[in-house]
Amino acid sequence: MNARPLAPITDEQVDTFWRDGATCVRGLFGNEWIEHMREAVEDDLANPGPLAREYAKGGGRFLGDIGAWAVKPGLRKFVEESPAAEIAARLLKSHKVNFLYDQLFVKEPGTAAITPWHQDGPYWPVRGDQILSIWFALDDVTVESSGVEYLKGSHRWGKEYRPVSFAGDTEMYKMLPGDTLPDIEAMRGQFEVMNWDMKAGDCLIHHCMTVHGAPGNASSTRRRRAYATRWTGDDVVYAPRDGQAAITIDKPGIEPGQPIDCAVFPRLWPR
Ligand SMILES: O=C(O)CCC(=O)C(=O)O
């Protein structure tokens, strides 16, 4: 299976990521990785990891497994052996890359549950600018089948919003600082909203402060399986906050303010 990117990330893609806060990179992973990950995801759905959650309200199924790479060999293989770490290093313009954690997002056909608008950074126990996610589409996806949408340039608003619970639990992140994100849907016309029609193997790459969300999966036939991996670069330090939910099964055992190198957040680039 390919350990190197199928095609190099171009300077233009790097610039777009930093300017807009998100970009879609076509054909980043080939059939072998797509098939490998589809199998790994089915295994996870049949036997979810200890931090798995069901977010769905109403009909359908919206499952989000968190940190499962630590206990699932199929997911771990992707994290450790796929080109993802090298791709992250290139986009982050970083000499080294650590793996933060993984998150599986499956919205089955007819799942009404939206993914609420949010920024990722406030959920995570790290601080820094060189933090991104690679959202690997395992199915063809459009906005109708719950493609992720981004507010262009929102990573540079200089605002940190309090996390929201995907399951609608209003108590969950109460202790964390930050304003409540405004009602983006009501104000949608004021923003430049970015979304893409994607093929399996295409990836969304987004900065940790970019505001994003997704509608429900209105398709009656098409699944929407995606595997997000989160990567950090040179400037990132450990910065946990009271009230954050666990993103890893094991505790990292490092001190606040320190670089995050440890077994829980392994340095995976350079190899
Ligand atoms: O796939 C989704 O619905 C949410 C994705 C997301 O919020 C993320 O990867 O940060």
Side-chain angles (χ1 to χ4, degrees):
M1 245 178 273
N2 260 342
R4 304 299 309 277
L6 290 179
I9 299 288
T10 64
D11 289 348
E12 195 188 342
Q13 286 165 330
V14 175
D15 292 346
T16 303
F17 163 74
W18 282 104
R19 185 192 64 219
D20 296 346
T23 187
C24 177
V25 183
R26 305 285 176 191
L28 205 45
F29 295 103
N31 277 335
E32 286 187 330
W33 280 117
I34 296 170
E35 286 309 323
H36 171 84
M37 287 307 300
R38 284 178 175 165
E39 207 174 293
V41 166
E42 290 321 301
D43 170 66
D44 192 75
L45 291 176
N47 183 17
L51 300 181
R53 310 221 175 109
E54 282 277 356
Y55 301 123
K57 288 232 159 66
R61 185 172 195 215
F62 179 16
L63 179 114
D65 205 353
I66 295 174
W69 78 286
V71 291
K72 301 278 179 174
L75 302 178
R76 177 182 285 267
K77 184 177 173 70
F78 176 83
V79 169
E80 292 183 340
E81 296 177 28
S82 82
E86 180 176 351
I87 290 163
R90 171 88 174 105
L91 281 148
L92 289 172
K93 305 188 209 175
S94 188
H95 295 105
K96 68 144 186 162
V97 153
N98 289 72
F99 182 62
L100 190 62
Y101 79 107
D102 64 333
Q103 202 160 354
L104 177 65
F105 294 104
V106 176
K107 273 191 207 180
E108 299 292 4
T111 299
I114 63 157
T115 304
W117 292 98
H118 65 282
Q119 293 167 312
D120 293 337
Y123 292 82
W124 298 344
V126 284
R127 192 177 61 238
D129 194 35
Q130 288 168 297
I131 308 173
L132 63 67
S133 294
I134 301 177
W135 190 96
F136 175 9
L138 303 177
D139 295 292
D140 295 354
V141 54
T142 63
V143 171
E144 195 219 0
S145 65
S146 191
V148 180
E149 301 192 285
Y150 297 90
L151 302 189
K152 191 172 182 176
S154 51
H155 64 310
R156 292 297 181 242
W157 284 354
K159 289 280 290 182
E160 185 167 324
Y161 293 101
R162 185 182 305 119
V164 286
S165 150
F166 281 22
D169 176 353
T170 50
E171 293 298 306
M172 190 163 174
Y173 293 110
K174 261 184 146 172
M175 283 174 73
L176 287 167
D179 294 338
T180 305
L181 196 74
D183 183 349
I184 301 294
E185 281 310 318
M187 303 162 65
R188 199 178 162 96
Q190 298 177 27
F191 302 110
E192 201 166 331
V193 179
M194 304 190 293
N195 59 53
W196 293 268
D197 288 352
M198 299 172 71
K199 295 274 177 218
D202 294 349
C203 289
L204 299 170
I205 317 267
H206 65 259
H207 186 273
C208 68
M209 296 307 285
T210 308
V211 176
H212 60 288
N217 182 356
S219 167
S220 56
T221 53
R222 199 186 286 175
R223 306 180 74 187
R224 195 277 249 164
R225 293 167 292 181
Y227 186 61
T229 49
R230 325 292 198 178
W231 304 89
T232 71
D234 298 328
D235 76 345
V236 172
V237 295
Y238 189 51
R241 289 176 178 173
D242 288 342
Q244 285 175 327
I247 58 168
T248 57
I249 295 168
D250 292 324
K251 292 208 167 29
I254 46 176
E255 291 302 314
Q258 297 299 305
I260 68 168
D261 300 278
C262 64
V264 171
F265 302 129
R267 190 190 281 214
L268 295 183
W269 187 262
R271 282 199 220 279

